[in-house]
Every structure is written in structure tokens, then in C-alpha cells.
């Protein structure tokens, strides 16, 4: 979300509806909240003179009567503490009062001010100024409602119960009885549910920006033309084509692409069709006609129940099968089909009738009409937007209708947005379609591993997220079932889920052991699946199979013997030996790794692996939640041969989201720490109908090529002043996290990013104009890459980075 533009929209609409408030445009807001020194942390070196002052005496008196007083004293010292406090011991409140509306920045959690506490102590209470901020809103400003703008804040992650919070939970203490309205991303049902449960949030959903095809650019586009010429030339002049092939392979080598022409074509095809966000979303803005068209093009690339894609219909009219075409990698035909499909779709949406062409006839006409009517429906829906209306209704105390949240491409009914979000029934997970895809994911990862190692993996480790489970209805969960040789029973229903064990002779592979790494969201949202897996583990162990057939049982027997030697009773030893689900302890959500990377407070990669092991070692089962059993997690990881994670949403490439390096990367580094060597790391892309498994370095490289290096993506981001530069910088920080945890960021990536963001004067100038602070952060990341040994920069490159940094810093000081 473009927050400043969104607040501009919101204030304008509130004023038009009679609220006492002055309009503020984006530039005024940026001036106030950056150059005006209204910041939420002393990290930024501001003199804080423009912040609201709040005397601490009344705050201190109230605090003394609270049960948590001693705990806060122990963690943060005497009130008012040292965070966001001036020399007069007054709290500094970051924000402005605009008549009847306060626009402020949620306080930091103290990670910039006290690095050690932030990632080692996950139970710490919020610091004094954090609590004073909400107390000031209630008692001094006397707010009738609080609106949190954007996904996600920190209030709902404060210490307290996971569900059914009490008066001793911090979100309850801070909000008390003030109505809480939360503008939340519609594609994030898991974290939205946490906001409801832990902060009484009345959610008003907002949509993503439109996603467009990445397309090819620069040298990649030239390479594609060379390959097209080569394919045509083979029929006319094979001798000349051989020379052209040499040029293709040379250019591919310079672009760090494979040296096989089919693999090159495959990578260019994936790059071209990758969906990338066209900038950021502004709250209340709807899709234009062009954007709505781009959206429906993306939707119909999915296999949606009951609807045949246009590409399938066109292929069928050519007497071809679209799935076989993709398997054969006939990219010329695939490109032609895509072009024809787009022409048919665009004509229908503009004219509301079928285009006359050779691929539509009386035999297939009705099929086209069914598909095109479906696209017309979602096209029209996508041009509506009720976000402002939903906010105004909620502020007026009126009922805002509830609506399903989730991925707008997998489920087009999510649009239009502006409604109170809810998640689908967790008892409906997994679905039959999720099992079909999860089984395919399992087989594809096993095949990828066998192709490299000529054997089956003894054990796998997977990341199981709540948000991914909600979006896919359980693809990773079903991947786990398939490793173990389990399927959904035909007798299964939401009230009584049943699973069948596939006989080993039918399975086609041994029962692969699996270590499951969950996040806090999964724990809170899908306790039913934890119970289901517990029952399945018991059944798999009880099978009359030998160690070569049942890797799970073989490993469990070894762990059992070790636990008995360590003094555990037989029951506990057995329960722990068949436990495979590990996550953060009860009430916690993260791994601590993002704080570690953000604050640059680490010296060796071992620290990252150790932190992950320490924070994700808690065992979950039907019988216990978050039990600490020292050494059990390590025992399971010690047998892991491959690690995999699903990329289930177009919203995020691997480089776009810090949770990828936090969980997938943290797990990878932990296994390496335990085993003393790296294991295979695969990303499974399930954003299309066809599922692809690839090594982590390829996923990172494609994310960089289609986004960070892509002029189309860069220019779209730079259209959003301040937040565009901020969004670009986030990817640089994530590259650092991926480098440190996976060691799979190739050297060419650093070199190409350097060329794009340092050498390219136009992009450099635009970024400084957009957000000079973010550009300085980008330059700092380059230096960190270099100093930690990831970026093999030349002396002249390092010198140029430092020189530009000083110039930008000087420019900021002059402007201030």
C-alpha cells in the first residue's frame, strides 16, 4: 500500500462527509513525516522538536497499580525509560493533530534502541513510550475510534493470549474500549484473523495493485529474438544457424543463463509470463479498464473449477493439448496461443460478442461463451471498489458486510474489496484439489532429488505457513501426506476427516520421513490439522513394514532408543519419537531472524542457524502444544536430505518477503549447522496450473530479474513517491537475508544490481528524488554485502558507493 497517498484519499473523503478535518496531500504528509522530523524512533537522529509532548506523571501513577509493573521495571528500567523521551522526561508522541483527527506513527517495538532484547526476549512487554502512545490517544486526545492503516502493525503481536484475550493481555490494556478499525490486505487471511482475535479489529479489506506480465527487456529481449531467428533459420540455412547458436550461447553465458537452448527458452518463457505488481495500491482506488483486463488475463491462467481457460480452447481448436504443449516446451506455439487468446478476450470485453476467427466455430462456440461470460463477470467486479465506503460505514457505527479473504487470482470472488474480512472454515482443509496438487508437489520434489542423487531422500523438511494453507486449502499439508503415503478418504467430511494409508506396493516410493516447521499463524488457525497429523503419525508407525519401506518408522525407532537412554518414560519417549511438528513456543510467532538481519547484529551465519533452532524447537502434537524437548528438533533435522517450500502467491517472489529467508532460509541454515553440510533446497511454484520445482538459486535469480532489475517494475515503483523507494530497499534487505541463510545469491546478481542502482545515473537520480533516505539504505546494503564477503566488489566500485552515499547525505542535510 502507498500509505501517504491512502491517507490523502481518506482525509479528503472524511472532509467531504462532514468530518472536522483539513485535507492534506501526499507531499505535505511526506514533508511532515520525514523532513518535519515526526518519526517513531530515536534511531533517525531527529531533534524531535515537532513531536507532541505528553507528561509522564499520570502515566507512572497508573502503572504502579498494574500487575505487570515489576515486569516492565525489570525489562525497561524506571519510567519513563529512554525510548522517545525528551530531556524533561516527557513522552514524545509521533504525529499531528488535524482538527478532530490525529495522524500518527505507531511506536517502534524498541528493536532499534535495545537490539539484544528485541530478538532474544520474545515475551518482553511493550516499552513505556509504546504504552503511553495509546494512553495519550485515549485520555488526552480522547479518540472515539482508532484506525490502523495497512498490514500489519505490532499491536496484535504484543504479549498475551492467542485467542479470547483478557484484561491482562497488552492489546486489551492499550485499546480498552475504543473501537478498532483496521485497514487490511484482503489477500492475507491468516494475519487478518490474528488481528481480529488479538486486537478486536473490525477489518476493512483493501485490494492489491494490479499485476502485469513481467515481459522481457534489454539483453533478454534481444536473446529471445536471436532464438526465434535461430529456430526459423534451421529450416532455411542450417549452416548459418549453427553460427547463430554460438552467439546465442555466448549471450546466454553473459546473462548467467544455462548453456542449453531449451533451458534458455524455458527461463525466458517463465520470465516473460511472471506476474509483477504494477506499483502499489492506494486505498480507495479501483482498477481502470486496462488494469481490469490485466487482472482477468492473470485469473484465467489458473485452472478454475468448471471453467476452461481460453488458452486450452485455442489449443484444442488447433488440435493440440495445452498441457502437452507446455511439456514439450514448444514456446513459439505457446506464444501464438497466448496472443490469440488475448485478442479474443479483449474483443469480447469491448464488444460483448465473439470475435470472428478461425479458432471459433459452431462446435466450440458454447465453450468460448461460457469462459468469456465468466471473465466478463470478474472483469466487471474488479472495476468496483468499496474501501472508502466500508471505512465510512464502520466509523458511523453501521454494519459493514463480511466477505471472504484470500488470493484474488485463485478466488476472483474476493473482489471487490472494502468489506470485513473473514477466513474460510479451517475444517474444510484439505480439499481434493489441494491433495491432487500436493501429491504432484511431493512427486516432483522426490524426482528432482533422485535426478541429482540417484536415491530417495531419507527425510524431508517443509515450511507449513498459515497464510499458504489458507490460500491453497492445504497444498503443503497434502504434500506431507503424500511423502508419508497417505490420501484423503472418500468417506472423509468436514466433521469427521478421514485418511487412508496407501499400501506400500501401490505407493511407488518408500514412506519418506518429514520434519514439519510451522509458524505461529498455522498453530492458531489450524489446530485441527495438527491433530490429524498426530493420528497419521501413529498409524504410520504401527504399519508392518521394514526400515527400507518406512523411513518414518525407522527414524522414530532410533529417536525412541535415544530418549529412553536419556531417562524419558516409555510413553513420553514414544510420543516424542513420532512427533514431527515444530514451531515457536506458545504465544510467539516469528523466529527472531528478521530482527537480527535488520539490525545487522550478527557476526557469523552460525548465529542465524542457532537462533532458528532455539526459537523453532517447540513440539506440537495432539497431546501438547509448544513443549520444549531439548535435542529432539536437532535429531529430526539431522536426517533431512532436502528442504522445500511452496511459493503459492503472485504477490511475492522469494526476494519480496522477509519471511522466506526467515523460515526457509533459517531452516536451511539450521540443517546445515546440524549436519555440517548443505542439503538440497527447492522452491515449488504453484502460482499457475502447472507446478514447477526448482533450486533456490534459480528462484532468487528470477525474482531479481523480473523485479529488481526490470525497468517495468522499477518505473512502476518510482511512480509512488517515498513508498516506491522504500519498497525497492526492502528487496535489497531481503537479498542480504537470503545470502546469509541460503548462500544461494549468485555473484552476477550483486553485479547487475550495482549496474542498475549505482552506475545507472537515471535510476539513481530518480531514486534519490523519490526517497533519498531509502537510497542511502540501499547503498548501505551494498557495503554490507561487500564487508560480509558476499559481493566480490572491486575497489573502484566500493569507492563509488561510498562517494555517492556521502553526496546523498550532504544533499539531505542541505535540504533540512
Amino acid at each position: 500500500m502507498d500509505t501517504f497517498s491512502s491517507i490523502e484519499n481518506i482525509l479528503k473523503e472524511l472532509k467531504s462527509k462532514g468530518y472536522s478535518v483539513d485535507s492534506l496531500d501526499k507531499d505535505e504528509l511526506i514533508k511532515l513525516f520525514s523532513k518535519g522530523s515526526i518519526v517513531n524512533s530515536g534511531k533517525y537522529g531527529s531533534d524531535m522538536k515537532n513531536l507532541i509532548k505528553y507528561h509522564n506523571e499520570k502515566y507512572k501513577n497508573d502503572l504502579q497499580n498494574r500487575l505487570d509493573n515489576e515486569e516492565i521495571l525489570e525489562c525497561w528500567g524506571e519510567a519513563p525509560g529512554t525510548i522517545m523521551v525528551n530531556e524533561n522526561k516527557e513522552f514524545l508522541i509521533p504525529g499531528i493533530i488535524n482538527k478532530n483527527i490525529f495522524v500518527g506513527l505507531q511506536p517502534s517495538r524498541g528493536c532499534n534502541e535495545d537490539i539484544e532484547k528485541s530478538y532474544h526476549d520474545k515475551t518482553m512487554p511493550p516499552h513505556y513510550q509504546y504504552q503511553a502512545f495509546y494512553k495519550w490517544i485515549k485520555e488526552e486526545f480522547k479518540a472515539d475510534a482508532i484506525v490502523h492503516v495497512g498490514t500489519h502493525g505490532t499491536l496484535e503481536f504484543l504479549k498475551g493470549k492467542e485467542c479470547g484475550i483478557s484484561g491482562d493481555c497488552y492489546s486489551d490494556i492499550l485499546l480498552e474500549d475504543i473501537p478498532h478499525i483496521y485497514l487490511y490486505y484482503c489477500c492475507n487471511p491468516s494475519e487478518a484473523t490474528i488481528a481480529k482475535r488479538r486486537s478486536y479489529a473490525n477489518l476493512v479489506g483493501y485490494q492489491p495493485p494490479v499485476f502485469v506480465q513481467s515481459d522481457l527487456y534489454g539483453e533478454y529481449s534481444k536473446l529471445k529474438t536471436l532464438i526465434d531467428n535461430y529456430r526459423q533459420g534451421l529450416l532455411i540455412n542450417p549452416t548459418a544457424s549453427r553460427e547463430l547458436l554460438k552467439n546465442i550461447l555466448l549471450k546466454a553465458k553473459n546473462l548467467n543463463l544455462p548453456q542449453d537452448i531449451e533451458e534458455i527458452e524455458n527461463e525466458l518463457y517463465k520470465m516473460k509470463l511472471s506476474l509483477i505488481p504494477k506499483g502499489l495500491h492506494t486505498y480507495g482506488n479501483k482498477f481502470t479498464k486496462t488494469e481490469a483486463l490485466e487482472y482477468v488475463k492473470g485469473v484465467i491462467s489458473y485452472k478454475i473449477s468448471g471453467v476452461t481457460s481460453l488458452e486450452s480452447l485455442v489449443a484444442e481448436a488447433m488440435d493440440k493439448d495445452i498441457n502437452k504443449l507446455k511439456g514439450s516446451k514448444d514456446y513459439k506455439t505457446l506464444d501464438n496461443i497466448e496472443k490469440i487468446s488475448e485478442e479474443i478476450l479483449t474483443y469480447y470485453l469491448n464488444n460483448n460478442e465473439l470475435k470472428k476467427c478461425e479458432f471459433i466455430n459452431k462446435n466450440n462456440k458454447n465453450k468460448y461463451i461460457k469462459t468469456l461470460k465468466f471473465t466478463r463477470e470478474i472483469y466487471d467486479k474488479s472495476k468496483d471498489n468499496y474501501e472508502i465506503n466500508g471505512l465510512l460505514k464502520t466509523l458511523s457505527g453501521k454494519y459493514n458486510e463480511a466477505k471472504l479473504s484470500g488470493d484474488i487470482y485463485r478466488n476472483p470472488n474476493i473482489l471487490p474489496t472494502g468489506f470485513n474480512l473473514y477466513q474460510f472454515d479451517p475444517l474444510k482443509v484439505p480439499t481434493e484439489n489441494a491433495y491432487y496438487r500436493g501429491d504432484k508437489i511431493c512427486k516432483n520434489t522426490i524426482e528432482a532429488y533422485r535426478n541429482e542423487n540417484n536415491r530417495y531422500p531419507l527425510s524431508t523438511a517443509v515450511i507449513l505457513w498459515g497464510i499458504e494453507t489458507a490460500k491453497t486449502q492445504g497444498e503443503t499439508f497434502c504434500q506431507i501426506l503424500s511423502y508419508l503415503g497417505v490420501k484423503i478418504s472418500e468417506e472423509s467430511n468436514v466433521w469427521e476427516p478421514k485418511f487412508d494409508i496407501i499400501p506400500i506396493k501401490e505407493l511407488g516410493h518408500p514412506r519418506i520421513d518429514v520434519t514439519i516447521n510451522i509458524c505461529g499463524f498455522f498453530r492458531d488457525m489450524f489446530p485441527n490439522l495438527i491433530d490429524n497429523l498426530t493420528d497419521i503419525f501413529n498409524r504410520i508407525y504401527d504399519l508392518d513394514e521394514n526400515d527400507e519401506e518406512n523411513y518414518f518408522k525407522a527414524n522414530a525407532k532410533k529417536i525412541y532408543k535415544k530418549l529412553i537412554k536419556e531417562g524419558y518414560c516409555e510413553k513420553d519417549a514414544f510420543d516424542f519419537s513420532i512427533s514431527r511438528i515444530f514451531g515457536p513456543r506458545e504465544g510467539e510467532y516469528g523466529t527472531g531472524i528478521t530482527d537480527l538481519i535488520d539490525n545487522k547484529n550478527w557476526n557469523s551465519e552460525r548465529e542465524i542457524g542457532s537462533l532458528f533452532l532455539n526459537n523453532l524447537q517447540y513440539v506440537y502434537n495432539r497431546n501438547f502444544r509448544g513443549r520444549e524437548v531439548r535435542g529432539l528438533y536437532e535429531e529430526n533435522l539431522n536426517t533431512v536430505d532436502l528442504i522445500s517450500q511452496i511459493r503459492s502467491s503472485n504477490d511475492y517472489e522469494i526476494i519480496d518477503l522477509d519471511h522466506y529467508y526467515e523460515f526457509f532460509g533459517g531452516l536451511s541454515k539450521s540443517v546445515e549447522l546440524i549436519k555440517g553440510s548443505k542439503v538440497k533446497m527447492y522452491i515449488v511454484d504453484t502460482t499457475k496450473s502447472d507446478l514447477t520445482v526448482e533450486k533456490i538459486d534459480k528462484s532468487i535469480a528470477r525474482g531479481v530479474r523480473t523485479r529488481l532489475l526490470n525497468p517495468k517494475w522499477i518505473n512502476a515503483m518510482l511512480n509512488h513517491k517515498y513508498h516506491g523507494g522504500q519498497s525497492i530497499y526492502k528487496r535489497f534487505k531481503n537479498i542480504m537475508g537470503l545470502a546469509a541463510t541460503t548462500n544461494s545469491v549468485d555473484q552476477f546478481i550483486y553485479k547487475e544490481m550495482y549496474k542498475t542502482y549505482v552506475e545507472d545515473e537515471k535510476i539513481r537520480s530518480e531514486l534519490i528524488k523519490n526517497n533519498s533516505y531509502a537510497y542511502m539504505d540501499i547503498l548501505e546494503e551494498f557495503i554490507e554485502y561487500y564487508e560480509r564477503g558476499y559481493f566480490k566488489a572491486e575497489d573502484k566500485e566500493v569507492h563509488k558507493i561510498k562517494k555517492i552515499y556521502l553526496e546523498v547525505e550532504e544533499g539531505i542535510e542541505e535540504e533540512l
Side-chain angles (χ1 to χ4, degrees), residues 74-347:
E74 185 179 344
C75 191
W76 299 107
E78 291 285 342
T82 59
I83 296 173
M84 293 292 284
V85 175
N86 65 12
E87 64 278 2
N88 298 322
K89 302 297 182 182
E90 295 171 306
F91 291 114
L92 299 169
I93 307 298
I96 57 167
I97 297 175
N98 181 356
K99 293 187 176 177
N100 281 0
I101 291 176
F102 166 70
V103 181
L105 292 173
Q106 188 175 60
S108 76
R109 282 285 281 120
C111 63
N112 294 315
E113 293 83 1
D114 197 331
I115 292 169
E116 290 300 318
K117 280 195 178 89
S118 68
Y119 67 82
H120 286 306
D121 185 0
K122 304 304 289 184
T123 63
M124 69 176 184
H127 57 75
Y128 291 111
Q129 185 261 351
Y130 192 109
Q131 299 189 52
F133 178 84
Y134 284 95
K135 189 173 179 64
W136 177 88
I137 287 173
K138 179 177 176 61
E139 297 182 0
E140 300 296 319
F141 183 69
K142 301 185 186 301
D144 296 304
I146 290 178
V147 181
H148 280 109
V149 180
T151 309
H152 58 70
T154 54
L155 180 73
E156 63 268 32
F157 297 105
L158 299 178
K159 185 180 177 185
K161 291 166 65 183
E162 293 167 10
C163 192
I165 61 175
S166 70
D168 294 330
C169 299
Y170 277 103
S171 49
D172 183 274
I173 291 170
L174 299 183
L175 284 174
E176 294 192 15
D177 59 354
I178 305 178
H180 178 203
I181 300 152
Y182 209 152
L183 312 187
Y184 221 91
Y185 188 40
C186 75
C187 300
N188 193 343
S190 59
E191 292 179 333
T193 302
I194 300 302
K196 278 177 175 279
R197 289 177 177 174
R198 306 195 84 229
S199 67
Y200 312 124
N202 191 318
L203 303 172
V204 184
Y206 65 84
Q207 67 183 57
V210 68
F211 280 69
V212 296
Q213 283 189 3
S214 168
D215 292 330
L216 299 177
Y217 57 90
E219 295 302 309
Y220 298 107
S221 183
K222 292 176 184 176
L223 179 58
K224 175 69 166 58
T225 301
L226 284 178
I227 292 172
D228 289 343
N229 292 341
Y230 167 75
R231 294 293 189 199
Q232 292 172 3
L234 280 175
L235 303 173
I236 304 166
N237 190 341
T239 304
S241 291
R242 281 195 290 271
E243 192 61 34
L244 188 54
L245 179 59
K246 290 180 184 177
N247 294 334
I248 288 169
L249 296 179
L250 179 61
K251 186 175 278 292
K253 185 178 181 181
N254 292 336
L255 290 170
N256 293 275
L257 290 168
Q259 287 295 285
D260 176 89
I261 193 161
E262 286 193 359
E263 288 186 35
I264 297 168
E265 280 189 289
N266 185 40
E267 185 56 39
L268 293 178
Y269 182 74
K270 287 181 179 178
M271 277 182 64
K272 176 178 177 289
L273 294 185
S274 291
L275 292 179
I276 60 172
K278 187 183 176 185
L280 304 168
H281 175 63
T282 295
Y283 193 82
N285 284 6
K286 60 182 72 174
F287 283 162
T288 64
K289 286 184 178 181
T290 303
E291 290 171 340
L293 175 61
E294 289 290 343
Y295 168 61
V296 296
K297 280 164 54 181
V299 169
I300 58 173
S301 69
Y302 277 96
K303 185 178 181 180
I304 296 176
S305 179
V307 179
T308 308
S309 73
L310 278 178
E311 290 181 356
S312 295
L313 292 174
V314 173
E316 189 179 303
M318 295 177 171
D319 292 325
K320 297 180 184 294
D321 182 289
I322 193 70
N323 294 319
K324 288 181 180 178
L325 274 174
K326 288 178 179 178
S328 69
K329 300 177 181 178
D330 181 354
Y331 298 113
K332 183 178 179 182
T333 303
L334 286 169
D335 284 342
N336 189 36
I337 288 171
E338 182 197 350
K339 182 182 174 184
I340 294 164
S341 299
E342 186 173 341
E343 288 174 357
I344 292 170
L345 174 63
T346 306
Y347 186 89

